[in-house]
Amino acid sequence: MFDRTVEILSDFAGDDAEITLESTLVDDLGLSSLDVINVVAAFEDEFDIEVPDRVIPSLRTVQDIVNYLEENAEE
């Protein structure tokens, strides 16, 4: 799940970004709030899930995303 998450995040943060589980989307990867919305949309498309708007603010780190996907997406 981590590798697929990194692939998607790389499209938004750039291929040279160092993405770890501890990376924060805004501070470490430099994503704007619009980027975060677009990232969520990309995960929704990739994993055929819907992320409720109320959940988006809790997705602050790569680990948060991986955890959410592991709990809610089918591989």
Side-chain angles (χ1 to χ4, degrees):
M1 191 64 72
F2 174 71
D3 292 335
R4 290 173 74 188
T5 302
V6 169
E7 287 176 28
I8 292 170
L9 286 172
S10 293
D11 291 341
F12 295 91
D15 291 328
D16 59 336
E18 184 178 338
I19 301 173
T20 66
L21 287 172
E22 294 80 27
S23 298
T24 60
L25 302 181
V26 175
D27 294 332
D28 295 332
L29 302 182
L31 302 182
S32 68
S33 56
L34 180 58
D35 290 333
V36 172
I37 298 298
N38 289 330
V39 164
V40 169
F43 283 113
E44 289 176 328
D45 290 343
E46 175 71 19
F47 294 99
D48 194 30
I49 61 171
E50 186 169 333
V51 179
D53 290 343
R54 63 179 165 69
V55 171
I56 296 172
S58 69
L59 302 176
R60 294 186 185 116
T61 67
V62 175
Q63 182 71 64
D64 294 337
I65 294 172
V66 170
N67 291 344
Y68 184 84
L69 293 174
E70 287 176 346
E71 292 171 9
N72 297 282
E74 295 182 24
E75 290 198 50

Short mmCIF file of all heavy atoms in Angstrom, two decimals:
data_model
loop_
_atom_site.label_atom_id
_atom_site.label_comp_id
_atom_site.label_asym_id
_atom_site.label_seq_id
_atom_site.Cartn_x
_atom_site.Cartn_y
_atom_site.Cartn_z
N MET A 1 0.83 -1.20 0.00
CA MET A 1 0.00 0.00 0.00
C MET A 1 0.87 1.26 0.00
O MET A 1 0.54 2.24 -0.65
CB MET A 1 -0.91 -0.03 1.22
CG MET A 1 -2.00 1.00 1.20
SD MET A 1 -3.22 0.85 -0.11
CE MET A 1 -4.15 -0.57 0.41
N PHE A 2 1.98 1.20 0.74
CA PHE A 2 2.88 2.36 0.82
C PHE A 2 3.42 2.72 -0.57
O PHE A 2 3.43 3.89 -0.95
CB PHE A 2 4.03 2.08 1.80
CG PHE A 2 5.06 3.18 1.82
CD1 PHE A 2 4.77 4.40 2.39
CD2 PHE A 2 6.31 2.99 1.27
CE1 PHE A 2 5.72 5.43 2.41
CE2 PHE A 2 7.26 3.99 1.28
CZ PHE A 2 6.96 5.22 1.85
N ASP A 3 3.85 1.71 -1.34
CA ASP A 3 4.42 1.99 -2.66
C ASP A 3 3.41 2.66 -3.59
O ASP A 3 3.75 3.60 -4.30
CB ASP A 3 4.95 0.70 -3.30
CG ASP A 3 6.17 0.16 -2.57
OD1 ASP A 3 6.87 0.94 -1.91
OD2 ASP A 3 6.41 -1.06 -2.65
N ARG A 4 2.18 2.19 -3.57
CA ARG A 4 1.15 2.80 -4.41
C ARG A 4 0.84 4.21 -3.94
O ARG A 4 0.59 5.12 -4.74
CB ARG A 4 -0.11 1.94 -4.40
CG ARG A 4 0.10 0.63 -5.17
CD ARG A 4 -1.05 -0.31 -5.03
NE ARG A 4 -2.20 0.13 -5.83
CZ ARG A 4 -3.39 -0.43 -5.76
NH1 ARG A 4 -3.60 -1.44 -4.93
NH2 ARG A 4 -4.38 0.00 -6.51
N THR A 5 0.87 4.43 -2.63
CA THR A 5 0.65 5.76 -2.08
C THR A 5 1.74 6.71 -2.54
O THR A 5 1.47 7.84 -2.96
CB THR A 5 0.59 5.70 -0.54
OG1 THR A 5 -0.45 4.80 -0.15
CG2 THR A 5 0.36 7.06 0.07
N VAL A 6 2.99 6.26 -2.48
CA VAL A 6 4.12 7.08 -2.91
C VAL A 6 4.01 7.43 -4.39
O VAL A 6 4.27 8.58 -4.79
CB VAL A 6 5.46 6.38 -2.60
CG1 VAL A 6 6.62 7.09 -3.28
CG2 VAL A 6 5.68 6.32 -1.10
N GLU A 7 3.61 6.46 -5.22
CA GLU A 7 3.46 6.72 -6.65
C GLU A 7 2.48 7.86 -6.90
O GLU A 7 2.75 8.76 -7.70
CB GLU A 7 2.97 5.47 -7.37
CG GLU A 7 4.00 4.39 -7.52
CD GLU A 7 3.44 3.14 -8.16
OE1 GLU A 7 2.47 3.25 -8.95
OE2 GLU A 7 3.94 2.05 -7.86
N ILE A 8 1.36 7.82 -6.23
CA ILE A 8 0.34 8.87 -6.42
C ILE A 8 0.84 10.20 -5.87
O ILE A 8 0.72 11.24 -6.52
CB ILE A 8 -0.98 8.45 -5.76
CG1 ILE A 8 -1.58 7.26 -6.54
CG2 ILE A 8 -1.97 9.62 -5.72
CD1 ILE A 8 -2.75 6.60 -5.88
N LEU A 9 1.42 10.19 -4.69
CA LEU A 9 1.92 11.44 -4.10
C LEU A 9 3.03 12.06 -4.93
O LEU A 9 3.15 13.28 -5.00
CB LEU A 9 2.40 11.19 -2.66
CG LEU A 9 1.30 10.98 -1.64
CD1 LEU A 9 1.89 10.56 -0.31
CD2 LEU A 9 0.45 12.23 -1.47
N SER A 10 3.83 11.23 -5.58
CA SER A 10 4.93 11.75 -6.40
C SER A 10 4.41 12.60 -7.56
O SER A 10 5.08 13.53 -7.99
CB SER A 10 5.76 10.59 -6.96
OG SER A 10 6.44 9.94 -5.93
N ASP A 11 3.22 12.28 -8.05
CA ASP A 11 2.64 13.08 -9.12
C ASP A 11 2.35 14.51 -8.67
O ASP A 11 2.35 15.42 -9.48
CB ASP A 11 1.33 12.45 -9.61
CG ASP A 11 1.55 11.14 -10.35
OD1 ASP A 11 2.69 10.89 -10.81
OD2 ASP A 11 0.58 10.37 -10.46
N PHE A 12 2.15 14.69 -7.39
CA PHE A 12 1.82 16.01 -6.86
C PHE A 12 3.01 16.69 -6.20
O PHE A 12 3.14 17.90 -6.25
CB PHE A 12 0.67 15.89 -5.85
CG PHE A 12 -0.61 15.44 -6.49
CD1 PHE A 12 -0.93 14.10 -6.57
CD2 PHE A 12 -1.49 16.36 -7.03
CE1 PHE A 12 -2.10 13.67 -7.18
CE2 PHE A 12 -2.67 15.94 -7.65
CZ PHE A 12 -2.96 14.60 -7.72
N ALA A 13 3.87 15.91 -5.56
CA ALA A 13 5.01 16.47 -4.84
C ALA A 13 6.27 16.52 -5.68
O ALA A 13 7.23 17.18 -5.33
CB ALA A 13 5.27 15.65 -3.57
N GLY A 14 6.29 15.81 -6.78
CA GLY A 14 7.47 15.74 -7.63
C GLY A 14 8.22 14.45 -7.37
O GLY A 14 8.27 13.95 -6.25
N ASP A 15 8.80 13.91 -8.42
CA ASP A 15 9.49 12.62 -8.32
C ASP A 15 10.73 12.67 -7.43
O ASP A 15 11.17 11.65 -6.93
CB ASP A 15 9.90 12.12 -9.71
CG ASP A 15 8.69 11.72 -10.54
OD1 ASP A 15 7.70 11.25 -9.94
OD2 ASP A 15 8.74 11.87 -11.77
N ASP A 16 11.29 13.86 -7.24
CA ASP A 16 12.50 13.96 -6.42
C ASP A 16 12.20 14.16 -4.93
O ASP A 16 13.10 14.20 -4.10
CB ASP A 16 13.40 15.09 -6.92
CG ASP A 16 12.70 16.44 -6.90
OD1 ASP A 16 11.46 16.47 -6.93
OD2 ASP A 16 13.41 17.45 -6.85
N ALA A 17 10.93 14.27 -4.57
CA ALA A 17 10.55 14.45 -3.17
C ALA A 17 10.83 13.16 -2.40
O ALA A 17 10.56 12.07 -2.87
CB ALA A 17 9.08 14.81 -3.05
N GLU A 18 11.39 13.32 -1.22
CA GLU A 18 11.63 12.17 -0.36
C GLU A 18 10.36 11.93 0.45
O GLU A 18 10.00 12.71 1.33
CB GLU A 18 12.81 12.41 0.58
CG GLU A 18 13.13 11.20 1.41
CD GLU A 18 14.33 11.41 2.32
OE1 GLU A 18 15.15 12.30 2.04
OE2 GLU A 18 14.40 10.69 3.33
N ILE A 19 9.69 10.83 0.13
CA ILE A 19 8.40 10.53 0.76
C ILE A 19 8.58 9.36 1.70
O ILE A 19 8.95 8.26 1.28
CB ILE A 19 7.33 10.22 -0.30
CG1 ILE A 19 7.15 11.43 -1.23
CG2 ILE A 19 6.01 9.85 0.37
CD1 ILE A 19 6.24 11.18 -2.41
N THR A 20 8.34 9.62 2.99
CA THR A 20 8.40 8.57 4.01
C THR A 20 7.05 8.51 4.71
O THR A 20 6.19 9.37 4.50
CB THR A 20 9.49 8.87 5.06
OG1 THR A 20 9.10 10.05 5.80
CG2 THR A 20 10.84 9.10 4.41
N LEU A 21 6.87 7.51 5.54
CA LEU A 21 5.62 7.42 6.29
C LEU A 21 5.39 8.63 7.18
O LEU A 21 4.26 9.01 7.44
CB LEU A 21 5.59 6.14 7.13
CG LEU A 21 5.40 4.84 6.35
CD1 LEU A 21 5.59 3.64 7.26
CD2 LEU A 21 4.03 4.80 5.70
N GLU A 22 6.47 9.24 7.64
CA GLU A 22 6.37 10.38 8.55
C GLU A 22 6.19 11.71 7.82
O GLU A 22 5.92 12.73 8.45
CB GLU A 22 7.62 10.46 9.44
CG GLU A 22 7.78 9.31 10.40
CD GLU A 22 8.36 8.05 9.74
OE1 GLU A 22 9.10 8.18 8.74
OE2 GLU A 22 8.06 6.94 10.20
N SER A 23 6.33 11.73 6.50
CA SER A 23 6.21 12.97 5.74
C SER A 23 4.83 13.58 5.90
O SER A 23 3.82 12.89 5.78
CB SER A 23 6.46 12.71 4.25
OG SER A 23 7.75 12.23 4.00
N THR A 24 4.81 14.88 6.16
CA THR A 24 3.53 15.59 6.20
C THR A 24 3.24 16.12 4.80
O THR A 24 4.16 16.50 4.07
CB THR A 24 3.54 16.75 7.20
OG1 THR A 24 4.57 17.68 6.82
CG2 THR A 24 3.78 16.27 8.63
N LEU A 25 1.98 16.14 4.45
CA LEU A 25 1.60 16.54 3.10
C LEU A 25 1.92 18.00 2.82
O LEU A 25 2.44 18.34 1.76
CB LEU A 25 0.11 16.28 2.88
CG LEU A 25 -0.37 14.84 3.06
CD1 LEU A 25 -1.85 14.74 2.79
CD2 LEU A 25 0.41 13.89 2.20
N VAL A 26 1.63 18.86 3.79
CA VAL A 26 1.80 20.30 3.58
C VAL A 26 3.23 20.75 3.87
O VAL A 26 3.90 21.33 3.01
CB VAL A 26 0.78 21.10 4.43
CG1 VAL A 26 1.03 22.59 4.31
CG2 VAL A 26 -0.64 20.75 4.00
N ASP A 27 3.73 20.46 5.06
CA ASP A 27 5.05 20.97 5.45
C ASP A 27 6.20 20.28 4.73
O ASP A 27 7.12 20.94 4.24
CB ASP A 27 5.24 20.86 6.96
CG ASP A 27 4.29 21.75 7.73
OD1 ASP A 27 3.87 22.79 7.20
OD2 ASP A 27 3.93 21.40 8.87
N ASP A 28 6.18 18.96 4.66
CA ASP A 28 7.31 18.24 4.07
C ASP A 28 7.22 18.11 2.55
O ASP A 28 8.23 18.23 1.86
CB ASP A 28 7.43 16.83 4.68
CG ASP A 28 7.77 16.87 6.16
OD1 ASP A 28 8.41 17.84 6.61
OD2 ASP A 28 7.39 15.92 6.87
N LEU A 29 6.03 17.87 2.04
CA LEU A 29 5.88 17.66 0.60
C LEU A 29 5.46 18.92 -0.14
O LEU A 29 5.43 18.95 -1.36
CB LEU A 29 4.88 16.53 0.33
CG LEU A 29 5.24 15.18 0.97
CD1 LEU A 29 4.21 14.13 0.61
CD2 LEU A 29 6.64 14.74 0.57
N GLY A 30 5.12 19.97 0.61
CA GLY A 30 4.81 21.26 0.00
C GLY A 30 3.49 21.32 -0.75
O GLY A 30 3.32 22.14 -1.65
N LEU A 31 2.54 20.46 -0.37
CA LEU A 31 1.25 20.47 -1.05
C LEU A 31 0.38 21.62 -0.52
O LEU A 31 0.38 21.90 0.67
CB LEU A 31 0.52 19.15 -0.83
CG LEU A 31 1.23 17.87 -1.31
CD1 LEU A 31 0.35 16.67 -1.07
CD2 LEU A 31 1.64 17.98 -2.75
N SER A 32 -0.36 22.23 -1.42
CA SER A 32 -1.32 23.26 -1.02
C SER A 32 -2.62 22.57 -0.62
O SER A 32 -2.78 21.37 -0.84
CB SER A 32 -1.58 24.21 -2.19
OG SER A 32 -2.28 23.53 -3.22
N SER A 33 -3.55 23.33 -0.09
CA SER A 33 -4.83 22.73 0.27
C SER A 33 -5.55 22.19 -0.97
O SER A 33 -6.20 21.15 -0.92
CB SER A 33 -5.71 23.74 1.01
OG SER A 33 -5.88 24.90 0.24
N LEU A 34 -5.41 22.85 -2.10
CA LEU A 34 -5.99 22.36 -3.34
C LEU A 34 -5.30 21.06 -3.77
O LEU A 34 -5.96 20.13 -4.23
CB LEU A 34 -5.89 23.41 -4.45
CG LEU A 34 -6.46 23.00 -5.81
CD1 LEU A 34 -7.93 22.63 -5.69
CD2 LEU A 34 -6.26 24.11 -6.81
N ASP A 35 -3.98 21.01 -3.62
CA ASP A 35 -3.25 19.78 -3.93
C ASP A 35 -3.77 18.61 -3.09
O ASP A 35 -3.92 17.50 -3.59
CB ASP A 35 -1.75 19.93 -3.66
CG ASP A 35 -1.05 20.85 -4.64
OD1 ASP A 35 -1.53 20.97 -5.80
OD2 ASP A 35 -0.03 21.45 -4.26
N VAL A 36 -4.02 18.87 -1.81
CA VAL A 36 -4.50 17.81 -0.92
C VAL A 36 -5.85 17.28 -1.42
O VAL A 36 -6.07 16.06 -1.47
CB VAL A 36 -4.60 18.30 0.54
CG1 VAL A 36 -5.28 17.25 1.42
CG2 VAL A 36 -3.20 18.62 1.09
N ILE A 37 -6.73 18.17 -1.83
CA ILE A 37 -8.03 17.76 -2.39
C ILE A 37 -7.81 16.91 -3.64
O ILE A 37 -8.46 15.88 -3.83
CB ILE A 37 -8.91 18.99 -2.72
CG1 ILE A 37 -9.21 19.80 -1.45
CG2 ILE A 37 -10.19 18.56 -3.43
CD1 ILE A 37 -9.97 19.06 -0.39
N ASN A 38 -6.89 17.33 -4.49
CA ASN A 38 -6.60 16.58 -5.71
C ASN A 38 -5.96 15.22 -5.40
O ASN A 38 -6.24 14.24 -6.09
CB ASN A 38 -5.71 17.39 -6.65
CG ASN A 38 -6.46 18.56 -7.26
OD1 ASN A 38 -7.66 18.51 -7.46
ND2 ASN A 38 -5.74 19.63 -7.54
N VAL A 39 -5.12 15.18 -4.38
CA VAL A 39 -4.53 13.91 -3.95
C VAL A 39 -5.63 12.96 -3.49
O VAL A 39 -5.64 11.78 -3.86
CB VAL A 39 -3.48 14.14 -2.83
CG1 VAL A 39 -3.15 12.85 -2.11
CG2 VAL A 39 -2.23 14.77 -3.39
N VAL A 40 -6.53 13.47 -2.69
CA VAL A 40 -7.64 12.63 -2.20
C VAL A 40 -8.46 12.11 -3.39
O VAL A 40 -8.81 10.92 -3.43
CB VAL A 40 -8.52 13.41 -1.20
CG1 VAL A 40 -9.80 12.66 -0.91
CG2 VAL A 40 -7.75 13.69 0.08
N ALA A 41 -8.72 12.97 -4.36
CA ALA A 41 -9.47 12.54 -5.55
C ALA A 41 -8.71 11.45 -6.30
O ALA A 41 -9.31 10.48 -6.78
CB ALA A 41 -9.74 13.74 -6.45
N ALA A 42 -7.39 11.58 -6.37
CA ALA A 42 -6.58 10.56 -7.04
C ALA A 42 -6.66 9.22 -6.30
O ALA A 42 -6.76 8.16 -6.93
CB ALA A 42 -5.13 11.03 -7.15
N PHE A 43 -6.64 9.26 -4.98
CA PHE A 43 -6.78 8.03 -4.20
C PHE A 43 -8.17 7.43 -4.37
O PHE A 43 -8.32 6.22 -4.44
CB PHE A 43 -6.46 8.27 -2.72
CG PHE A 43 -5.00 8.38 -2.44
CD1 PHE A 43 -4.45 9.57 -2.02
CD2 PHE A 43 -4.17 7.29 -2.62
CE1 PHE A 43 -3.09 9.68 -1.78
CE2 PHE A 43 -2.80 7.39 -2.38
CZ PHE A 43 -2.26 8.59 -1.96
N GLU A 44 -9.17 8.29 -4.43
CA GLU A 44 -10.54 7.80 -4.64
C GLU A 44 -10.65 7.07 -5.97
O GLU A 44 -11.25 6.00 -6.06
CB GLU A 44 -11.54 8.96 -4.57
CG GLU A 44 -11.72 9.52 -3.19
CD GLU A 44 -12.64 10.72 -3.14
OE1 GLU A 44 -12.69 11.50 -4.12
OE2 GLU A 44 -13.32 10.88 -2.11
N ASP A 45 -10.05 7.64 -7.01
CA ASP A 45 -10.07 7.01 -8.33
C ASP A 45 -9.28 5.72 -8.35
O ASP A 45 -9.74 4.70 -8.88
CB ASP A 45 -9.52 7.96 -9.39
CG ASP A 45 -10.43 9.14 -9.67
OD1 ASP A 45 -11.62 9.09 -9.29
OD2 ASP A 45 -9.95 10.12 -10.25
N GLU A 46 -8.09 5.75 -7.77
CA GLU A 46 -7.20 4.58 -7.79
C GLU A 46 -7.79 3.40 -7.02
O GLU A 46 -7.67 2.25 -7.45
CB GLU A 46 -5.84 4.97 -7.19
CG GLU A 46 -4.87 3.82 -7.05
CD GLU A 46 -4.31 3.30 -8.36
OE1 GLU A 46 -4.37 4.03 -9.38
OE2 GLU A 46 -3.81 2.16 -8.38
N PHE A 47 -8.39 3.67 -5.88
CA PHE A 47 -8.86 2.60 -5.01
C PHE A 47 -10.38 2.42 -5.02
O PHE A 47 -10.90 1.62 -4.25
CB PHE A 47 -8.36 2.84 -3.57
CG PHE A 47 -6.87 2.74 -3.47
CD1 PHE A 47 -6.09 3.89 -3.46
CD2 PHE A 47 -6.24 1.51 -3.38
CE1 PHE A 47 -4.71 3.81 -3.36
CE2 PHE A 47 -4.87 1.42 -3.29
CZ PHE A 47 -4.10 2.57 -3.28
N ASP A 48 -11.06 3.16 -5.88
CA ASP A 48 -12.50 3.07 -6.01
C ASP A 48 -13.21 3.18 -4.65
O ASP A 48 -14.01 2.33 -4.26
CB ASP A 48 -12.90 1.77 -6.71
CG ASP A 48 -14.34 1.79 -7.18
OD1 ASP A 48 -14.85 2.89 -7.50
OD2 ASP A 48 -14.98 0.73 -7.21
N ILE A 49 -12.85 4.25 -3.94
CA ILE A 49 -13.47 4.54 -2.64
C ILE A 49 -13.92 6.00 -2.65
O ILE A 49 -13.56 6.76 -3.54
CB ILE A 49 -12.49 4.31 -1.46
CG1 ILE A 49 -11.26 5.23 -1.58
CG2 ILE A 49 -12.11 2.87 -1.34
CD1 ILE A 49 -10.37 5.22 -0.36
N GLU A 50 -14.68 6.36 -1.63
CA GLU A 50 -15.05 7.75 -1.44
C GLU A 50 -14.59 8.17 -0.05
O GLU A 50 -14.92 7.52 0.95
CB GLU A 50 -16.56 7.95 -1.56
CG GLU A 50 -16.93 9.41 -1.51
CD GLU A 50 -18.38 9.66 -1.89
OE1 GLU A 50 -18.95 8.86 -2.65
OE2 GLU A 50 -18.91 10.65 -1.38
N VAL A 51 -13.77 9.21 -0.01
CA VAL A 51 -13.28 9.74 1.26
C VAL A 51 -14.20 10.88 1.68
O VAL A 51 -14.28 11.89 0.97
CB VAL A 51 -11.82 10.24 1.12
CG1 VAL A 51 -11.32 10.81 2.44
CG2 VAL A 51 -10.90 9.14 0.61
N PRO A 52 -14.90 10.73 2.80
CA PRO A 52 -15.80 11.79 3.25
C PRO A 52 -15.03 13.09 3.54
O PRO A 52 -13.88 13.05 4.01
CB PRO A 52 -16.40 11.24 4.54
CG PRO A 52 -16.16 9.77 4.50
CD PRO A 52 -14.92 9.57 3.69
N ASP A 53 -15.65 14.21 3.25
CA ASP A 53 -15.01 15.51 3.48
C ASP A 53 -14.53 15.67 4.92
O ASP A 53 -13.49 16.27 5.17
CB ASP A 53 -15.96 16.66 3.13
CG ASP A 53 -16.22 16.77 1.64
OD1 ASP A 53 -15.43 16.20 0.85
OD2 ASP A 53 -17.21 17.42 1.26
N ARG A 54 -15.27 15.12 5.86
CA ARG A 54 -14.89 15.26 7.27
C ARG A 54 -13.60 14.53 7.61
O ARG A 54 -12.95 14.81 8.62
CB ARG A 54 -16.02 14.78 8.18
CG ARG A 54 -16.36 13.32 8.02
CD ARG A 54 -17.48 12.84 8.94
NE ARG A 54 -18.02 11.57 8.55
CZ ARG A 54 -17.37 10.41 8.63
NH1 ARG A 54 -16.15 10.36 9.08
NH2 ARG A 54 -17.96 9.29 8.24
N VAL A 55 -13.19 13.58 6.77
CA VAL A 55 -11.97 12.79 7.01
C VAL A 55 -10.72 13.50 6.48
O VAL A 55 -9.63 13.36 7.04
CB VAL A 55 -12.10 11.39 6.36
CG1 VAL A 55 -10.79 10.63 6.40
CG2 VAL A 55 -13.21 10.60 7.03
N ILE A 56 -10.88 14.30 5.45
CA ILE A 56 -9.73 14.91 4.78
C ILE A 56 -8.80 15.67 5.73
O ILE A 56 -7.58 15.50 5.65
CB ILE A 56 -10.19 15.79 3.60
CG1 ILE A 56 -10.86 14.89 2.54
CG2 ILE A 56 -9.03 16.57 3.00
CD1 ILE A 56 -11.53 15.64 1.41
N PRO A 57 -9.29 16.48 6.65
CA PRO A 57 -8.37 17.18 7.56
C PRO A 57 -7.51 16.25 8.43
O PRO A 57 -6.45 16.65 8.89
CB PRO A 57 -9.29 18.04 8.43
CG PRO A 57 -10.52 18.22 7.62
CD PRO A 57 -10.68 16.94 6.84
N SER A 58 -7.95 15.03 8.64
CA SER A 58 -7.18 14.10 9.46
C SER A 58 -6.06 13.41 8.67
O SER A 58 -5.22 12.73 9.26
CB SER A 58 -8.09 13.04 10.09
OG SER A 58 -8.60 12.17 9.10
N LEU A 59 -6.03 13.59 7.37
CA LEU A 59 -5.00 12.99 6.53
C LEU A 59 -3.82 13.96 6.41
O LEU A 59 -3.67 14.66 5.42
CB LEU A 59 -5.58 12.64 5.15
CG LEU A 59 -6.78 11.69 5.15
CD1 LEU A 59 -7.31 11.51 3.75
CD2 LEU A 59 -6.43 10.36 5.80
N ARG A 60 -3.01 13.99 7.44
CA ARG A 60 -1.90 14.96 7.50
C ARG A 60 -0.57 14.38 7.07
O ARG A 60 0.28 15.10 6.57
CB ARG A 60 -1.78 15.50 8.92
CG ARG A 60 -2.97 16.32 9.34
CD ARG A 60 -2.74 16.96 10.71
NE ARG A 60 -3.94 17.64 11.11
CZ ARG A 60 -4.66 17.30 12.16
NH1 ARG A 60 -4.30 16.29 12.92
NH2 ARG A 60 -5.76 17.96 12.46
N THR A 61 -0.38 13.08 7.30
CA THR A 61 0.89 12.44 6.96
C THR A 61 0.65 11.29 5.98
O THR A 61 -0.47 10.83 5.79
CB THR A 61 1.60 11.87 8.21
OG1 THR A 61 0.82 10.78 8.71
CG2 THR A 61 1.79 12.93 9.27
N VAL A 62 1.73 10.82 5.41
CA VAL A 62 1.64 9.66 4.52
C VAL A 62 1.12 8.46 5.31
O VAL A 62 0.30 7.69 4.81
CB VAL A 62 3.01 9.37 3.88
CG1 VAL A 62 2.98 8.09 3.06
CG2 VAL A 62 3.46 10.56 3.03
N GLN A 63 1.55 8.33 6.56
CA GLN A 63 1.06 7.23 7.40
C GLN A 63 -0.45 7.31 7.58
O GLN A 63 -1.14 6.28 7.53
CB GLN A 63 1.74 7.26 8.77
CG GLN A 63 1.31 6.12 9.69
CD GLN A 63 1.86 4.79 9.23
OE1 GLN A 63 3.07 4.61 9.22
NE2 GLN A 63 1.00 3.87 8.86
N ASP A 64 -0.98 8.52 7.75
CA ASP A 64 -2.43 8.68 7.88
C ASP A 64 -3.15 8.16 6.64
O ASP A 64 -4.18 7.49 6.74
CB ASP A 64 -2.81 10.16 8.08
CG ASP A 64 -2.32 10.74 9.39
OD1 ASP A 64 -2.08 9.97 10.34
OD2 ASP A 64 -2.17 11.98 9.45
N ILE A 65 -2.61 8.46 5.47
CA ILE A 65 -3.22 8.00 4.22
C ILE A 65 -3.15 6.49 4.10
O ILE A 65 -4.13 5.83 3.78
CB ILE A 65 -2.55 8.67 3.01
CG1 ILE A 65 -2.83 10.17 3.02
CG2 ILE A 65 -3.02 8.03 1.70
CD1 ILE A 65 -2.06 10.95 1.98
N VAL A 66 -1.97 5.93 4.38
CA VAL A 66 -1.79 4.48 4.30
C VAL A 66 -2.77 3.79 5.25
O VAL A 66 -3.43 2.81 4.87
CB VAL A 66 -0.33 4.08 4.59
CG1 VAL A 66 -0.19 2.57 4.75
CG2 VAL A 66 0.59 4.59 3.48
N ASN A 67 -2.86 4.28 6.47
CA ASN A 67 -3.79 3.68 7.44
C ASN A 67 -5.23 3.74 6.94
O ASN A 67 -5.96 2.76 7.03
CB ASN A 67 -3.70 4.38 8.80
CG ASN A 67 -2.39 4.13 9.51
OD1 ASN A 67 -1.64 3.22 9.17
ND2 ASN A 67 -2.11 4.93 10.51
N TYR A 68 -5.62 4.89 6.42
CA TYR A 68 -6.99 5.04 5.91
C TYR A 68 -7.25 4.07 4.77
O TYR A 68 -8.29 3.41 4.72
CB TYR A 68 -7.25 6.48 5.47
CG TYR A 68 -8.68 6.68 5.05
CD1 TYR A 68 -9.66 6.94 6.00
CD2 TYR A 68 -9.08 6.55 3.73
CE1 TYR A 68 -11.00 7.08 5.66
CE2 TYR A 68 -10.41 6.69 3.36
CZ TYR A 68 -11.36 6.96 4.32
OH TYR A 68 -12.68 7.08 3.96
N LEU A 69 -6.31 3.98 3.85
CA LEU A 69 -6.50 3.08 2.72
C LEU A 69 -6.54 1.62 3.14
O LEU A 69 -7.34 0.84 2.63
CB LEU A 69 -5.39 3.31 1.68
CG LEU A 69 -5.40 4.67 0.97
CD1 LEU A 69 -4.18 4.81 0.11
CD2 LEU A 69 -6.67 4.82 0.16
N GLU A 70 -5.68 1.25 4.08
CA GLU A 70 -5.68 -0.14 4.54
C GLU A 70 -7.00 -0.51 5.20
O GLU A 70 -7.45 -1.65 5.12
CB GLU A 70 -4.50 -0.39 5.49
CG GLU A 70 -3.17 -0.45 4.76
CD GLU A 70 -1.98 -0.60 5.68
OE1 GLU A 70 -2.10 -0.41 6.91
OE2 GLU A 70 -0.89 -0.92 5.16
N GLU A 71 -7.61 0.46 5.86
CA GLU A 71 -8.89 0.20 6.55
C GLU A 71 -10.10 0.27 5.62
O GLU A 71 -11.11 -0.36 5.89
CB GLU A 71 -9.08 1.22 7.68
CG GLU A 71 -8.09 1.05 8.81
CD GLU A 71 -8.14 2.18 9.83
OE1 GLU A 71 -9.07 3.02 9.75
OE2 GLU A 71 -7.25 2.24 10.68
N ASN A 72 -10.00 1.04 4.53
CA ASN A 72 -11.18 1.33 3.73
C ASN A 72 -11.13 0.90 2.27
O ASN A 72 -12.16 0.93 1.60
CB ASN A 72 -11.48 2.83 3.79
CG ASN A 72 -11.80 3.28 5.19
OD1 ASN A 72 -12.90 3.06 5.66
ND2 ASN A 72 -10.83 3.87 5.88
N ALA A 73 -9.97 0.56 1.76
CA ALA A 73 -9.85 0.21 0.34
C ALA A 73 -9.55 -1.28 0.17
O ALA A 73 -8.89 -1.88 1.02
CB ALA A 73 -8.74 1.04 -0.30
N GLU A 74 -10.06 -1.79 -0.90
CA GLU A 74 -9.73 -3.17 -1.25
C GLU A 74 -8.58 -3.14 -2.23
O GLU A 74 -8.56 -2.31 -3.14
CB GLU A 74 -10.94 -3.86 -1.89
CG GLU A 74 -12.10 -3.99 -0.94
CD GLU A 74 -13.27 -4.71 -1.60
OE1 GLU A 74 -13.05 -5.47 -2.55
OE2 GLU A 74 -14.39 -4.49 -1.14
N GLU A 75 -7.64 -4.03 -2.05
CA GLU A 75 -6.48 -4.02 -2.95
C GLU A 75 -6.74 -4.79 -4.20
O GLU A 75 -7.52 -5.57 -4.38
CB GLU A 75 -5.27 -4.61 -2.24
CG GLU A 75 -4.80 -3.66 -1.16
CD GLU A 75 -3.40 -3.95 -0.73
OE1 GLU A 75 -2.54 -4.07 -1.61
OE2 GLU A 75 -3.17 -4.05 0.46
#
